[in-house]
Coordinates of all heavy atoms in Angstrom, one line a residue:
I12 N -41.3 33.4 37.2 CA -40.9 32.9 35.9 C -40.2 34.0 35.1 O -40.7 35.1 35.0 CB -42.1 32.4 35.1 CG1 -42.8 31.2 35.7 CG2 -41.8 32.1 33.6 CD1 -44.1 30.7 35.1
Y64 N -43.0 34.5 22.9 CA -44.3 34.0 23.3 C -44.2 32.5 23.6 O -44.8 32.0 24.5 CB -45.4 34.3 22.3 CG -46.3 35.4 22.7 CD1 -46.3 36.6 22.0 CD2 -47.2 35.2 23.7 CE1 -47.1 37.6 22.4 CE2 -48.1 36.3 24.1 CZ -48.0 37.5 23.4 OH -48.9 38.5 23.8
T65 N -43.5 31.8 22.7 CA -43.4 30.3 22.9 C -42.7 30.0 24.2 O -43.1 29.1 25.0 CB -42.6 29.7 21.7 OG1 -43.4 30.0 20.5 CG2 -42.5 28.2 21.9
A66 N -41.7 30.8 24.6 CA -41.0 30.6 25.9 C -41.9 30.8 27.0 O -41.9 30.0 28.0 CB -39.8 31.6 26.0
L67 N -42.8 31.8 26.9 CA -43.7 32.1 28.0 C -44.7 30.9 28.1 O -45.0 30.4 29.2 CB -44.5 33.4 27.7 CG -45.7 33.7 28.6 CD1 -45.2 33.8 30.1 CD2 -46.4 34.9 28.1
V68 N -45.3 30.5 27.0 CA -46.3 29.4 27.0 C -45.7 28.1 27.6 O -46.3 27.4 28.4 CB -46.8 29.1 25.6 CG1 -47.6 27.8 25.5 CG2 -47.7 30.3 25.2
R69 N -44.4 27.8 27.2 CA -43.8 26.6 27.7 C -43.6 26.7 29.2 O -43.8 25.7 30.0 CB -42.4 26.3 27.0 CG -42.5 26.1 25.5 CD -43.1 24.7 25.2 NE -42.8 24.4 23.8 CZ -43.5 24.7 22.7 NH1 -44.6 25.5 22.9 NH2 -43.2 24.3 21.5
A70 N -43.2 27.9 29.7 CA -42.9 28.1 31.1 C -44.2 28.0 31.9 O -44.3 27.4 33.0 CB -42.2 29.4 31.3
L71 N -45.3 28.6 31.4 CA -46.6 28.5 32.1 C -47.1 27.0 32.1 O -47.6 26.6 33.2 CB -47.6 29.4 31.4 CG -47.4 30.9 31.5 CD1 -48.4 31.6 30.5 CD2 -47.6 31.3 32.9
A72 N -46.9 26.3 31.1 CA -47.3 24.9 31.0 C -46.5 24.1 32.1 O -47.1 23.2 32.8 CB -47.2 24.3 29.7
L73 N -45.2 24.3 32.2 CA -44.4 23.6 33.2 C -44.9 24.0 34.6 O -45.0 23.1 35.5 CB -42.9 23.9 33.0 CG -42.0 23.2 33.9 CD1 -42.2 21.7 33.9 CD2 -40.5 23.6 33.6
A74 N -45.1 25.3 34.8 CA -45.6 25.7 36.2 C -46.9 25.0 36.5 O -47.1 24.6 37.7 CB -45.7 27.2 36.2
A75 N -47.8 24.9 35.6 CA -49.1 24.3 35.8 C -48.8 22.8 36.1 O -49.4 22.2 37.0 CB -50.0 24.5 34.6
E76 N -48.0 22.2 35.3 CA -47.7 20.7 35.5 C -47.1 20.5 36.9 O -47.4 19.5 37.5 CB -46.6 20.3 34.4 CG -46.1 18.9 34.7 CD -44.9 18.6 33.8 OE1 -44.8 19.1 32.6 OE2 -43.9 18.0 34.3
A79 N -48.3 24.7 40.4 CA -48.3 26.0 40.9 C -49.8 26.6 40.9 O -50.6 26.3 40.1 CB -47.5 26.9 40.0
R80 N -50.0 27.4 42.0 CA -51.3 28.1 42.1 C -51.2 29.6 41.7 O -52.2 30.2 41.4 CB -51.8 28.0 43.5 CG -52.2 26.5 43.9 CD -52.8 26.4 45.2 NE -52.2 27.1 46.3 CZ -51.2 26.5 47.1 NH1 -50.8 25.3 46.8 NH2 -50.6 27.2 48.1
E81 N -49.9 30.1 41.6 CA -49.7 31.4 41.2 C -48.4 31.6 40.5 O -47.5 30.8 40.7 CB -49.8 32.4 42.4 CG -48.8 32.2 43.5 CD -49.0 33.2 44.6 OE1 -48.6 34.4 44.4 OE2 -49.5 32.8 45.6
V82 N -48.3 32.6 39.6 CA -47.0 32.8 38.9 C -46.8 34.3 38.8 O -47.8 35.1 38.7 CB -47.0 32.2 37.5 CG1 -47.0 30.7 37.5 CG2 -48.2 32.7 36.7
L84 N -44.6 36.7 36.4 CA -43.9 36.7 35.2 C -43.0 38.0 35.2 O -43.5 39.1 35.3 CB -44.8 36.7 34.0 CG -45.9 35.7 34.0 CD1 -46.8 35.9 32.8 CD2 -45.3 34.3 34.0
L95 N -50.6 40.8 27.4 CA -51.2 40.0 28.5 C -52.2 40.7 29.3 O -53.3 40.2 29.7 CB -50.2 39.3 29.3 CG -49.3 38.3 28.7 CD1 -48.2 37.8 29.7 CD2 -50.1 37.1 28.2
P108 N -52.5 32.9 18.3 CA -52.7 31.6 19.0 C -51.8 31.4 20.2 O -52.3 30.8 21.2 CB -52.5 30.5 17.9 CG -51.8 31.2 16.8 CD -52.1 32.7 16.9
L109 N -50.6 32.0 20.2 CA -49.7 31.9 21.3 C -50.2 32.8 22.5 O -50.2 32.4 23.6 CB -48.3 32.3 20.9 CG -47.6 31.4 20.0 CD1 -46.4 32.0 19.3 CD2 -47.2 30.1 20.7
W110 N -50.7 34.0 22.1 CA -51.3 34.8 23.2 C -52.6 34.1 23.8 O -52.7 34.1 25.0 CB -51.8 36.2 22.5 CG -52.6 37.0 23.5 CD1 -52.1 37.9 24.4 CD2 -54.0 37.1 23.5 NE1 -53.1 38.5 25.1 CE2 -54.3 38.0 24.5 CE3 -55.0 36.5 22.8 CZ2 -55.6 38.4 24.9 CZ3 -56.3 36.8 23.1 CH2 -56.6 37.7 24.2
A111 N -53.4 33.5 22.9 CA -54.6 32.9 23.5 C -54.2 31.7 24.4 O -54.9 31.5 25.4 CB -55.5 32.4 22.3
E112 N -53.2 31.0 24.0 CA -52.7 29.8 24.9 C -52.2 30.4 26.2 O -52.4 29.8 27.2 CB -51.7 29.0 24.1 CG -51.2 27.8 24.9 CD -52.2 26.8 25.3 OE1 -53.4 26.9 24.9 OE2 -51.9 25.8 26.0
A113 N -51.4 31.4 26.1 CA -50.8 32.0 27.3 C -52.0 32.5 28.3 O -52.0 32.2 29.5 CB -49.9 33.2 27.0
R114 N -53.0 33.2 27.7 CA -54.1 33.6 28.5 C -54.9 32.4 29.1 O -55.4 32.5 30.2 CB -55.0 34.5 27.7 CG -54.4 35.9 27.3 CD -54.3 36.8 28.5 NE -55.6 37.0 29.1 CZ -55.8 37.7 30.2 NH1 -54.8 38.3 30.8 NH2 -57.0 37.8 30.7
R115 N -55.1 31.4 28.3 CA -55.8 30.2 28.8 C -55.0 29.6 30.0 O -55.6 29.2 31.0 CB -55.9 29.1 27.7 CG -56.7 27.9 28.1 CD -56.6 26.8 27.1 NE -55.3 26.2 27.0 CZ -54.9 25.3 28.0 NH1 -55.6 25.0 29.0 NH2 -53.7 24.8 27.9
L116 N -53.7 29.4 29.8 CA -52.9 28.9 30.9 C -52.9 29.8 32.1 O -53.1 29.3 33.3 CB -51.4 28.7 30.4 CG -51.3 27.5 29.5 CD1 -49.9 27.6 28.7 CD2 -51.4 26.2 30.2
L117 N -52.9 31.1 31.9 CA -52.9 32.0 33.1 C -54.2 31.9 33.8 O -54.3 32.0 35.0 CB -52.7 33.5 32.6 CG -51.3 33.8 32.2 CD1 -51.2 35.2 31.5 CD2 -50.3 33.8 33.4
G118 N -55.3 31.6 33.1 CA -56.6 31.4 33.7 C -56.7 30.2 34.7 O -57.6 30.2 35.5
G119 N -55.7 29.3 34.6 CA -55.7 28.2 35.4 C -55.0 28.4 36.8 O -55.0 27.6 37.7
F120 N -54.4 29.6 36.9 CA -53.8 30.0 38.2 C -54.7 30.8 39.0 O -55.5 31.6 38.5 CB -52.5 30.7 37.9 CG -51.4 29.9 37.2 CD1 -51.2 30.2 35.8 CD2 -50.7 28.9 37.8 CE1 -50.3 29.4 35.1 CE2 -49.8 28.1 37.1 CZ -49.6 28.4 35.8
E121 N -54.6 30.7 40.3 CA -55.4 31.5 41.2 C -55.0 33.0 41.1 O -55.8 33.9 41.3 CB -55.2 31.1 42.7 CG -55.8 29.7 43.0 CD -55.4 29.2 44.3 OE1 -54.9 30.0 45.2 OE2 -55.6 28.0 44.6
R122 N -53.7 33.3 40.9 CA -53.2 34.6 40.8 C -52.0 34.6 39.8 O -51.2 33.7 39.8 CB -52.7 35.1 42.2 CG -52.3 36.5 42.3 CD -51.9 36.9 43.6 NE -50.4 36.8 43.8 CZ -49.5 37.5 43.2 NH1 -49.8 38.4 42.2 NH2 -48.2 37.4 43.5
W123 N -52.0 35.7 39.0 CA -50.8 35.9 38.2 C -50.5 37.4 38.1 O -51.4 38.3 38.3 CB -51.0 35.3 36.8 CG -52.0 35.9 35.9 CD1 -53.3 35.6 35.9 CD2 -51.8 36.9 35.0 NE1 -54.0 36.3 35.0 CE2 -53.1 37.2 34.4 CE3 -50.7 37.7 34.5 CZ2 -53.3 38.1 33.4 CZ3 -50.9 38.6 33.6 CH2 -52.2 38.9 33.0

Side-chain angles (χ1 to χ4, degrees):
I12 294 174
Y64 256 110
T65 302
L67 172 62
V68 167
R69 298 290 197 273
L71 290 171
L73 181 57
E76 172 193 322
R80 294 187 309 273
E81 63 182 283
V82 290
L84 310 174
L95 290 175
L109 292 164
W110 171 85
E112 180 64 4
R114 290 291 303 180
R115 185 191 71 76
L116 287 163
L117 286 169
F120 298 105
E121 293 172 12
R122 187 181 93 64
W123 66 272

